[in-house]
Amino acid sequence: MNKMQAVNLKDIQIQDPFWSKHIELVDKEIIPYQWEAMNDRVPGAEPSRCLENFKIAAGLKSGVFYGAVFQDTDIAKWLEAVGFSLINKRDEDLEQRADEVIELIGKAQQDDGYLDTYYIIQAKEKRWSNLCEGHELYIAGHMMEAAVAYYQGTGKKRFLEIVCKNADLICRTFGTSEGQIKGYPGHQEVEIGLIKLYHVTGERKYLDQAKYFIDARGVGENYFLKEMSDPDFQHFFPEFANYDPSYSQSHLPVREQTTAEGHAVRATYMYTAMAELAYEYQDEELLNACQTLWDNLVNKRMYLTGGIGSSGILERFTVDYDLPNDYCYCESCASIGLAMFGQRMAQITREGKYMDVVERALYNTILAGVALDGKSFFYVNPLEVWPDSCKERTSKEHVKPMRQKWFGVACCPPNIARTLASLGQYIYCVDSESIYVNLFISNKTKIRLENKEVGIELNTRFPKENSLQIAISNVPVKGVNLGIRIPDYAQDYQVTEEGKVVEVCKEKGYALLNLNADGVFDISFKAPARFIRSNVKVRANTGKVALVRGPQVYCLEEVDNGANLSALKVDTDSQIEEVPAREFGGSIELRCRGKRILEEAEELLYTTKPLQYKEVEIKAIPYSYWNNRGLGEMSVWLRR
Amino acid sequence: MNKMQAVNLKDIQIQDPFWSKHIELVDKEIIPYQWEAMNDRVPGAEPSRCLENFKIAAGLKSGVFYGAVFQDTDIAKWLEAVGFSLINKRDEDLEQRADEVIELIGKAQQDDGYLDTYYIIQAKEKRWSNLCEGHELYIAGHMMEAAVAYYQGTGKKRFLEIVCKNADLICRTFGTSEGQIKGYPGHQEVEIGLIKLYHVTGERKYLDQAKYFIDARGVGENYFLKEMSDPDFQHFFPEFANYDPSYSQSHLPVREQTTAEGHAVRATYMYTAMAELAYEYQDEELLNACQTLWDNLVNKRMYLTGGIGSSGILERFTVDYDLPNDYCYCESCASIGLAMFGQRMAQITREGKYMDVVERALYNTILAGVALDGKSFFYVNPLEVWPDSCKERTSKEHVKPMRQKWFGVACCPPNIARTLASLGQYIYCVDSESIYVNLFISNKTKIRLENKEVGIELNTRFPKENSLQIAISNVPVKGVNLGIRIPDYAQDYQVTEEGKVVEVCKEKGYALLNLNADGVFDISFKAPARFIRSNVKVRANTGKVALVRGPQVYCLEEVDNGANLSALKVDTDSQIEEVPAREFGGSIELRCRGKRILEEAEELLYTTKPLQYKEVEIKAIPYSYWNNRGLGEMSVWLRR
């Protein structure tokens, strides 16, 4: 099998009417805000103490460890976002600050390469004794990803040296040889980090180590249950008592897994690594497992918004078609993991269907995770919210009806930041003779094909307008295969050049053109707003429809439609009007006709009285922008 | 204010076509089964070790405490059920076994009256140090209720002596005087026990102590938060970290509480005691609080089935109109608490509306809690179950799609047993000149009015048939006020004597007759099956209806209607046919017309394709009998 690659982020400049305003927030708001948060200077926000822990571990201060056992990843994710940001734009102050943090990390690192402030400060002798919950390998993976991004952003190798020293320790420590620990991580992530480290250093052992972790997982006696059977074992998390191996996808060897199980972030990070390794080792069996898992995930366990993880308890998958809208989890990080997985699958298979899902996740759940002003974040992304009922210490306590400033477990905000800062990686897939355009985001890019730098300029107002222009220059003499994605929602898809229709070969979700010369292509399609329904087996959505336009899922908000959205019924025969919105940077709003049940004077809880309706206009906005106008009800699914 | 009383259970014999088969299970199945369970002799069931703990506490064995900190209540509830059972029917073997258990309890009791095996065995020095979670007063209350029932069933005083010695210690220990602990129970129940003990012993201090606990609750600094601020404090339950006082209704003085908050069982046990004390102390303010809480509970936070407690997490109330059907709690014990509260309110106010709710709870949630064979039990009583999705370690793990044999926390099975064994207490309310008939259950009763024993014979096939006959004999010369409840669902309610319509005064839900002579009255009404809808504010039920006939709520089961009940739509204009069922002891089944969405060949998760329907007959059975024919989907609410 072959695998296409993302374009080097250095070579791509995004200037897009839809995305740029969000991406700019990473530099303007999110990175500075996270810096303040990690330094515990945000009034009213939960303290992080992340830098403090590193200072204590480095012996620069005395004190005890504070926070979750995986607190170190706050800093790793911040540095990764900084790395991507510096690829896009130099910033000397920021770089200097990051360099200082990296030096601090280096000082905290132990002589043998070990790096985890919790264990360094609190329990040196217990390192690697609780792989299930200890998160040492999870932290290591995020550090590796951060170091790679920072190296790509600055060319500086110090952080790479630190993580390589750590990776070398991991390679020595874990494996099948005598004296090595035969375990694997409780939260997958180090596999992705090791693969990235291999790509940037060329050190094959890092790739082999990632393969070891994937191959060992779920084989034979469960490693975590074995750990827990030790009389000295202590849980970090009480909810891990009577541990269920499927929670961490260690219930079966990965190649035998056919359904998306357990914690959704763990799952998608693992699937991402599996896809990478399937290619690197030309492992068809592993690729088949990826395809089977993808199909189950996307066709039976994914929300319309690209959200995944139906259970609030343990943030996990449940069973096929179980997609409750109001008490689900749908963690922002899980949709990011889904996008990562989908991107790898698209790169290997060259099938557009994977990018349909990646686009769905990016335009909906991932973007909804951050406020329009970049100052607050969703961790959980429900499709239906009734704020009153999202009460502390009840079954919906995990559902926050307002974005939060920061979280004690702060994985989502920096994960969204790094995703936005590295959005360019999702736009193209390339190999030595092909350029595939996946996402319709305005940008200028240079792509090295053999010894020539092909130039691409993509201009579009997508998703507001369903057209784009691609100007390709410096096409090599031997030609180039240009693939342009045909999204699953596109109708009347057409490619023209100078006003003339270009004959294209439509294959696996792409329009394919063989170019031998420079050219300017106009692509247009129709993607009118539509009512979508769920499979009948999705019990939560029977009798309901959702409004979708292109990649964007729409929702109703209380501010536009009044309180109690469940009292609305939409007339699915009515015309859906597409109206430019005043808010949300000129996005399209949708309007259609419907009815609303009239409130009753008499407040009986149960009655036989008939309902009274009035005609109303229903107004829907993109799901990604909900809760930017204060607290209120929201719903994606609407009674028909 | 005045208060009517229940009839002495000794004086009432129930022989009823609907209830007797359930009540008989208490003697035949539940009491013997619970005995085996408490002795850890049920294969495959979670061990109880309850008797073992008492033996260790009594010094008859060595060992450590096993089980939940409130494990002692298993034995108390068993003895209470035995007490009620012995009132109904003598059983020497059972009585001898109970006597032995009581002796064992007496041996475990400490010299000063203290009685709680967890603390006696594990932590003598820590007694009363964790009122919030320690359950010592909760256990004491159940022991008192059991001792009173056992005394009434046998006339034996030994158990009463034990609990009085314990109650005396409690009276010395808790109060406002110097040296006394100014606390109150973390789980209300001792208040009910103390009041019952007062009624049977005449000891006023027990009543005063109950009043103290109610008056002290939620006043000033929260006692539980104070306990938890002690550096030596250790939680029994990790979920009690960052304790929320509303969980135990200690967030406000009880007289200032206006909404049903927190743990539903704790709440209803407290409200029951409040109602008793309102009467005993002629405390109008307390009665007003009871009425306000009742109205909120019943008109905004109660399921159609009489279930309460919307949140699976912490088994608690949430907010008005938040009544999700599939992940709710609706604990059997909470509906029993609701029935206890409603009975007291009916006794004080003489308003039938309270008994409407008591009847709803008894015929639906409470009865659903036990299988038709008496061998398995529901703890959680959802109104919609899709078994596949009730997966361990997810948001619906608390929902069991099958009744369970026994529970680690075994509160519900014995609570249902004592409720069935003492069902007679709910049938009548009496005072010196009035007899009110509340429930339509065939029985023969003797009621002492001043110096005369009035005889009542009630015969009915209710709820199958909506008629009853009441024969009253030995009416005293000064006459008697006979009140017969007019249920909220009754139409064309009519009382006749020898075929002639009797003029009755209809007042606050009762038909009132002033009798000066013996007589035989026939009461009839119509209560046809109807489609009921919820208030529009109940978002979970918008667009849905439920089938209700008399006090019985109906549900659809997969075995009758096929898998995926959400694919059904009922035609609410169709006739509801009432058909005698083959199963369920000749109950009425309901049938009506509807449509079912056809399954699709193509299994797209999201689509624009139109739905196809077929006409179907819908069959509904009483909710109380669901899951007596194997595993399958169930739903009370049905799309219209």
Side-chain angles (χ1 to χ4, degrees):
Chain A
M1 71 191 86
N2 203 339
K3 180 168 177 283
M4 302 180 85
Q5 304 298 328
V7 171
N8 203 323
L9 284 178
K10 263 203 300 292
D11 296 330
I12 185 162
Q13 283 86 45
I14 294 174
Q15 194 59 259
D16 184 70
F18 182 87
W19 281 102
S20 288
K21 61 184 177 292
H22 302 295
I23 296 171
E24 282 159 13
L25 292 173
V26 177
D27 290 341
K28 272 195 215 149
E29 294 291 337
I30 310 179
I31 289 176
Y33 186 88
Q34 288 178 3
W35 178 252
E36 293 303 295
M38 286 194 306
N39 283 282
D40 308 314
R41 290 193 296 245
V42 178
E46 287 190 55
S48 152
R49 303 261 173 94
C50 192
L51 287 171
E52 202 77 358
N53 289 336
F54 276 93
K55 285 176 195 157
I56 297 165
L60 303 173
K61 274 193 129 174
S62 64
V64 294
F65 178 87
Y66 176 88
V69 70
F70 42 75
Q71 205 80 352
D72 290 359
T73 53
D74 283 13
I75 221 165
K77 289 184 184 170
W78 183 79
L79 283 168
E80 190 185 6
V82 168
F84 286 128
S85 168
L86 293 175
I87 293 174
N88 298 331
K89 196 176 75 189
R90 291 220 54 179
D91 178 334
E92 281 179 29
D93 284 354
L94 182 62
E95 190 169 329
Q96 195 192 327
R97 201 183 298 160
D99 285 340
E100 286 166 18
V101 171
I102 290 163
E103 281 314 310
L104 175 62
I105 294 172
K107 286 202 182 99
Q109 187 170 37
Q110 306 292 283
D111 288 342
D112 65 354
Y114 188 81
L115 183 58
D116 178 308
T117 69
Y118 168 78
Y119 283 98
I120 293 170
I121 298 171
Q122 293 295 103
K124 271 207 179 90
E125 72 294 353
K126 293 212 164 170
R127 59 151 90 162
W128 314 129
S129 71
N130 185 347
L131 295 187
C132 186
E133 304 168 44
H135 283 77
E136 292 149 292
L137 293 167
Y138 173 75
I139 293 167
H142 274 300
M143 287 286 177
M144 292 171 199
E145 286 206 85
V148 170
Y150 197 72
Y151 168 68
Q152 290 170 335
T154 63
K156 289 179 181 170
K157 292 198 168 171
R158 176 69 186 123
F159 198 7
L160 271 187
E161 287 162 14
I162 294 168
V163 299
C164 284
K165 194 171 164 188
N166 185 235
D168 294 342
L169 172 68
I170 290 167
C171 292
R172 290 195 305 276
T173 305
F174 295 93
T176 54
S177 301
E178 214 184 302
Q180 285 187 307
I181 298 174
K182 278 141 202 82
Y184 35 84
H187 192 315
Q188 301 90 322
E189 158 65 23
V190 74
E191 301 86 345
I192 295 174
L194 285 164
I195 295 164
K196 284 195 174 175
L197 209 53
Y198 156 69
H199 285 137
V200 85
T201 64
E203 269 286 3
R204 181 83 189 177
K205 70 175 173 186
Y206 298 148
L207 187 66
D208 290 341
Q209 189 63 30
K211 178 170 159 57
Y212 159 76
F213 282 133
I214 290 295
D215 286 350
R217 196 167 200 90
V219 175
E221 186 185 355
N222 187 272
Y223 186 80
F224 306 134
L225 295 179
K226 203 157 61 184
E227 275 183 343
M228 290 176 189
S229 69
D230 186 302
D232 291 336
F233 184 88
Q234 287 195 319
H235 286 290
F236 285 103
F237 307 105
E239 63 269 32
F240 280 27
N242 305 315
Y243 190 73
D244 166 14
S246 73
Y247 173 74
S248 58
Q249 301 78 39
S250 61
H251 56 302
L252 279 175
V254 302
R255 287 170 184 76
E256 295 172 24
Q257 296 187 25
T258 55
T259 51
E261 298 295 341
H263 187 255
V265 177
R266 282 172 170 78
T268 51
Y269 284 14
M270 180 176 87
Y271 305 156
T272 300
M274 283 166 64
E276 291 267 9
L277 293 168
Y279 162 69
E280 296 290 351
Y281 293 88
Q282 294 291 306
D283 185 338
E284 292 285 351
E285 193 188 1
L286 196 54
L287 185 66
N288 286 343
C290 288
Q291 281 166 328
T292 304
L293 287 165
W294 176 271
D295 287 347
N296 176 257
L297 176 49
V298 161
N299 297 327
K300 292 183 177 158
R301 301 188 178 198
M302 185 183 75
Y303 287 85
L304 184 59
T305 52
I308 51 175
S310 300
S311 172
I313 290 181
L314 293 173
E315 315 166 359
R316 61 177 285 173
F317 294 105
T318 58
V319 294
D320 290 349
Y321 304 111
D322 181 34
L323 297 163
N325 294 303
D326 57 341
Y327 63 99
C328 57
Y329 209 75
C330 290
E331 185 175 340
S332 303
C333 289
S335 289
I336 290 170
L338 177 65
M340 284 161 32
F341 180 30
Q343 181 197 25
R344 269 70 171 183
M345 293 304 287
Q347 289 171 340
I348 296 170
T349 64
R350 299 168 189 238
E351 290 190 48
K353 69 176 187 182
Y354 294 103
M355 290 311 298
D356 288 337
V357 172
V358 172
E359 188 186 59
R360 184 74 66 88
L362 286 169
Y363 278 84
N364 297 287
T365 299
I366 298 171
L367 194 53
V370 54
L372 277 173
D373 65 3
K375 291 179 199 285
S376 58
F377 305 89
F378 279 131
Y379 203 115
V380 170
N381 294 280
L383 281 76
E384 181 181 328
V385 172
W386 172 23
D388 288 355
S389 71
C390 300
K391 198 175 151 102
E392 289 286 314
R393 289 155 197 290
T394 70
S395 292
K396 284 205 274 190
E397 66 178 349
H398 62 288
V399 180
K400 305 297 175 200
M402 290 286 279
R403 287 182 187 82
Q404 308 285 298
K405 282 203 158 182
W406 195 253
F407 300 90
V409 177
C411 54
C412 297
N415 216 348
I416 295 167
R418 69 159 179 170
T419 305
L420 289 172
S422 66
L423 190 68
Q425 67 178 306
Y426 293 103
I427 301 179
Y428 300 101
C429 290
V430 298
D431 65 11
S432 59
E433 51 205 22
S434 304
I435 299 172
Y436 277 33
V437 180
N438 290 315
L439 297 184
F440 308 144
I441 299 175
S442 302
N443 73 90
K444 284 188 198 171
T445 303
K446 282 181 202 145
I447 296 168
R448 179 161 296 274
L449 285 194
E450 306 209 323
N451 289 320
K452 224 166 170 193
E453 265 193 351
V454 179
I456 293 208
E457 207 176 316
L458 193 163
N459 281 299
T460 182
R461 292 177 182 280
F462 183 81
K464 193 177 176 185
E465 294 170 17
N466 294 309
S467 60
L468 52 148
Q469 189 177 69
I470 299 174
I472 184 161
S473 57
N474 214 15
V475 167
V477 179
K478 63 168 269 197
V480 63
N481 297 314
L482 180 67
I484 307 159
R485 184 170 141 260
I486 309 171
D488 55 357
Y489 47 78
Q491 300 164 11
D492 304 336
Y493 189 94
Q494 187 171 268
V495 182
T496 56
E497 190 179 13
E498 289 175 10
K500 276 178 281 184
V501 173
V502 179
E503 277 302 309
V504 294
C505 169
K506 290 181 182 173
E507 200 180 291
K508 297 200 289 184
Y510 288 94
L512 300 173
L513 291 82
N514 198 290
L515 303 187
N516 290 300
D518 296 0
V520 178
F521 300 95
D522 288 293
I523 296 96
S524 68
F525 53 87
K526 288 189 189 130
R530 299 179 298 174
F531 293 109
I532 298 278
R533 69 165 172 89
S534 296
N535 188 296
V536 175
K537 290 175 181 153
V538 182
R539 284 141 177 90
N541 295 342
T542 325
K544 295 183 177 178
V545 291
L547 279 159
V548 173
R549 182 179 173 278
Q552 291 185 296
V553 174
Y554 278 69
C555 71
L556 273 57
E557 282 206 294
E558 181 175 335
V559 62
D560 298 316
N561 298 284
N564 195 357
L565 300 175
S566 82
L568 292 168
K569 267 165 78 162
V570 70
D571 174 3
T572 53
D573 294 327
S574 78
Q575 193 70 28
I576 307 170
E577 253 187 287
E578 304 190 1
V579 184
R582 267 175 312 177
E583 298 110 338
F584 317 130
S587 283
I588 298 290
E589 256 175 40
L590 303 180
R591 299 205 186 148
C592 57
R593 304 296 312 165
K595 284 180 181 174
R596 175 180 265 286
I597 303 170
L598 290 175
E599 291 273 332
E600 297 155 285
E602 211 179 333
E603 298 259 318
L604 286 171
L605 187 53
Y606 302 109
T607 178
T608 55
K609 276 207 202 157
L611 293 164
Q612 304 288 328
Y613 291 88
K614 66 172 176 189
E615 301 274 330
V616 292
E617 184 180 65
I618 287 169
K619 178 173 154 186
I621 64 153
Y623 173 77
S624 57
Y625 295 143
W626 85 275
N627 187 240
N628 275 291
R629 294 171 296 167
L631 188 71
E633 287 181 57
M634 180 277 291
S635 189
V636 167
W637 293 98
L638 186 57
R639 291 195 304 127
R640 67 197 303 168
Chain B
M1 72 192 84
N2 203 339
K3 179 168 177 285
M4 303 180 86
Q5 303 297 328
V7 172
N8 204 323
L9 285 178
K10 262 203 302 292
D11 297 330
I12 185 163
Q13 283 85 45
I14 294 174
Q15 194 61 261
D16 183 70
F18 182 88
W19 282 102
S20 287
K21 61 184 178 290
H22 302 295
I23 296 171
E24 283 159 14
L25 292 172
V26 177
D27 291 340
K28 272 195 216 151
E29 294 291 340
I30 310 180
I31 288 175
Y33 186 89
Q34 288 179 3
W35 177 252
E36 294 301 296
M38 286 194 305
N39 283 281
D40 309 314
R41 290 192 297 245
V42 178
E46 288 190 52
S48 152
R49 305 260 173 95
C50 192
L51 288 171
E52 201 77 358
N53 289 335
F54 276 93
K55 284 175 195 159
I56 298 165
L60 303 174
K61 274 192 129 175
S62 64
V64 294
F65 178 87
Y66 177 89
V69 69
F70 42 76
Q71 205 80 352
D72 289 0
T73 53
D74 283 13
I75 220 165
K77 288 183 183 170
W78 182 79
L79 282 168
E80 191 185 5
V82 169
F84 286 130
S85 168
L86 294 175
I87 293 174
N88 298 331
K89 196 176 74 188
R90 291 218 56 177
D91 178 334
E92 280 180 29
D93 284 354
L94 182 63
E95 189 170 331
Q96 196 193 325
R97 200 183 299 161
D99 284 341
E100 286 167 17
V101 170
I102 290 163
E103 280 314 311
L104 175 62
I105 294 172
K107 286 201 184 100
Q109 187 170 38
Q110 306 293 284
D111 288 342
D112 65 354
Y114 188 80
L115 183 58
D116 177 308
T117 69
Y118 168 78
Y119 283 98
I120 293 170
I121 297 171
Q122 294 295 104
K124 272 206 178 91
E125 72 293 352
K126 292 211 163 172
R127 59 150 89 163
W128 314 130
S129 71
N130 184 348
L131 295 187
C132 186
E133 305 168 44
H135 283 77
E136 291 150 292
L137 293 166
Y138 173 74
I139 293 167
H142 274 300
M143 287 285 177
M144 293 171 198
E145 285 205 86
V148 169
Y150 197 73
Y151 168 68
Q152 289 170 336
T154 63
K156 290 178 180 170
K157 291 197 168 171
R158 176 69 186 123
F159 198 7
L160 270 186
E161 287 162 14
I162 293 168
V163 300
C164 285
K165 195 171 164 188
N166 185 235
D168 293 343
L169 172 68
I170 290 167
C171 292
R172 290 195 305 276
T173 304
F174 295 93
T176 53
S177 301
E178 215 184 302
Q180 284 186 307
I181 298 174
K182 279 142 201 82
Y184 35 85
H187 193 316
Q188 300 91 320
E189 159 64 25
V190 74
E191 301 86 346
I192 294 173
L194 285 164
I195 294 164
K196 284 195 174 174
L197 210 54
Y198 156 69
H199 284 137
V200 85
T201 65
E203 270 287 3
R204 181 84 190 177
K205 69 175 173 187
Y206 298 147
L207 188 66
D208 290 341
Q209 189 63 30
K211 178 170 157 59
Y212 159 75
F213 283 133
I214 290 295
D215 286 350
R217 195 167 200 90
V219 174
E221 186 185 355
N222 187 274
Y223 186 79
F224 305 133
L225 296 179
K226 203 157 63 186
E227 274 184 343
M228 290 177 191
S229 69
D230 186 303
D232 291 336
F233 184 88
Q234 288 194 319
H235 286 288
F236 284 103
F237 307 105
E239 64 269 32
F240 280 27
N242 305 317
Y243 190 72
D244 166 14
S246 73
Y247 172 74
S248 58
Q249 301 79 39
S250 61
H251 56 302
L252 279 176
V254 302
R255 289 170 183 77
E256 296 172 25
Q257 296 185 24
T258 56
T259 51
E261 299 296 342
H263 187 255
V265 177
R266 282 171 170 79
T268 50
Y269 284 15
M270 179 176 87
Y271 305 155
T272 301
M274 283 166 65
E276 292 267 11
L277 292 168
Y279 162 68
E280 296 290 351
Y281 292 88
Q282 295 291 306
D283 184 338
E284 292 285 351
E285 193 188 0
L286 196 54
L287 185 66
N288 285 343
C290 289
Q291 281 165 329
T292 303
L293 287 165
W294 175 272
D295 287 345
N296 175 257
L297 176 49
V298 160
N299 297 326
K300 293 182 177 159
R301 303 188 177 198
M302 186 183 76
Y303 287 86
L304 183 61
T305 52
I308 52 175
S310 300
S311 173
I313 291 182
L314 292 173
E315 313 166 1
R316 60 177 288 174
F317 294 106
T318 58
V319 294
D320 290 349
Y321 304 111
D322 181 35
L323 297 163
N325 295 302
D326 57 342
Y327 62 98
C328 57
Y329 209 74
C330 291
E331 184 175 341
S332 303
C333 289
S335 289
I336 291 170
L338 176 66
M340 285 163 29
F341 179 31
Q343 180 196 26
R344 270 69 172 186
M345 293 304 288
Q347 289 170 340
I348 296 170
T349 64
R350 299 166 189 239
E351 291 189 47
K353 68 175 187 184
Y354 294 103
M355 290 311 299
D356 288 336
V357 173
V358 172
E359 189 186 59
R360 183 75 66 88
L362 285 169
Y363 279 84
N364 297 286
T365 300
I366 298 170
L367 195 53
V370 56
L372 277 173
D373 64 4
K375 291 179 200 283
S376 58
F377 305 89
F378 279 131
Y379 204 114
V380 169
N381 294 279
L383 281 76
E384 181 181 327
V385 172
W386 172 23
D388 288 354
S389 71
C390 300
K391 198 176 152 99
E392 289 287 314
R393 292 157 196 286
T394 70
S395 292
K396 284 205 275 189
E397 66 179 347
H398 62 289
V399 179
K400 305 295 176 201
M402 291 286 280
R403 287 182 187 83
Q404 308 286 298
K405 282 201 158 185
W406 195 255
F407 301 92
V409 177
C411 55
C412 297
N415 215 347
I416 295 168
R418 69 159 179 169
T419 304
L420 289 172
S422 67
L423 189 68
Q425 67 178 307
Y426 293 103
I427 301 178
Y428 301 100
C429 290
V430 298
D431 66 10
S432 59
E433 50 205 21
S434 302
I435 299 171
Y436 279 32
V437 181
N438 289 315
L439 297 183
F440 309 144
I441 299 174
S442 301
N443 72 89
K444 284 186 199 174
T445 304
K446 283 182 203 145
I447 296 168
R448 179 160 296 274
L449 286 193
E450 306 211 321
N451 290 318
K452 225 169 169 189
E453 264 191 353
V454 179
I456 293 208
E457 209 176 315
L458 192 163
N459 281 299
T460 182
R461 292 177 182 278
F462 182 82
K464 193 176 177 186
E465 295 170 16
N466 294 308
S467 60
L468 54 148
Q469 188 176 71
I470 298 173
I472 184 162
S473 58
N474 214 14
V475 168
V477 180
K478 61 168 271 198
V480 63
N481 298 313
L482 180 67
I484 307 158
R485 184 170 140 260
I486 309 171
D488 53 358
Y489 48 77
Q491 300 163 11
D492 304 336
Y493 190 94
Q494 188 172 269
V495 181
T496 55
E497 191 180 12
E498 291 176 9
K500 275 178 285 186
V501 172
V502 180
E503 278 301 309
V504 295
C505 169
K506 290 182 182 172
E507 200 181 290
K508 296 201 289 185
Y510 287 94
L512 299 173
L513 292 82
N514 197 291
L515 304 185
N516 289 301
D518 296 0
V520 178
F521 301 95
D522 289 292
I523 296 96
S524 68
F525 52 88
K526 288 189 188 130
R530 298 180 297 172
F531 293 110
I532 298 278
R533 69 167 171 89
S534 296
N535 189 295
V536 175
K537 290 175 181 153
V538 181
R539 284 141 178 89
N541 294 341
T542 325
K544 295 184 177 178
V545 291
L547 280 159
V548 173
R549 182 179 173 278
Q552 290 186 296
V553 175
Y554 278 70
C555 70
L556 274 57
E557 283 204 294
E558 181 176 337
V559 62
D560 297 318
N561 298 284
N564 195 359
L565 300 175
S566 83
L568 292 168
K569 267 165 78 162
V570 70
D571 174 3
T572 54
D573 293 327
S574 78
Q575 194 71 27
I576 308 169
E577 253 187 287
E578 303 190 1
V579 185
R582 268 174 311 176
E583 298 109 339
F584 316 131
S587 282
I588 298 291
E589 255 176 42
L590 302 180
R591 299 205 187 148
C592 57
R593 303 295 314 164
K595 284 180 182 173
R596 175 180 265 286
I597 303 169
L598 289 177
E599 291 273 332
E600 297 155 285
E602 211 180 335
E603 296 257 318
L604 286 171
L605 188 54
Y606 303 108
T607 179
T608 55
K609 276 207 200 158
L611 294 165
Q612 304 288 330
Y613 291 88
K614 66 173 177 188
E615 301 274 329
V616 292
E617 183 181 66
I618 288 168
K619 178 173 155 186
I621 64 153
Y623 174 77
S624 56
Y625 296 143
W626 85 274
N627 186 240
N628 276 291
R629 295 171 296 167
L631 188 71
E633 287 182 57
M634 181 277 291
S635 188
V636 167
W637 294 97
L638 186 56
R639 290 194 305 127
R640 68 198 300 170

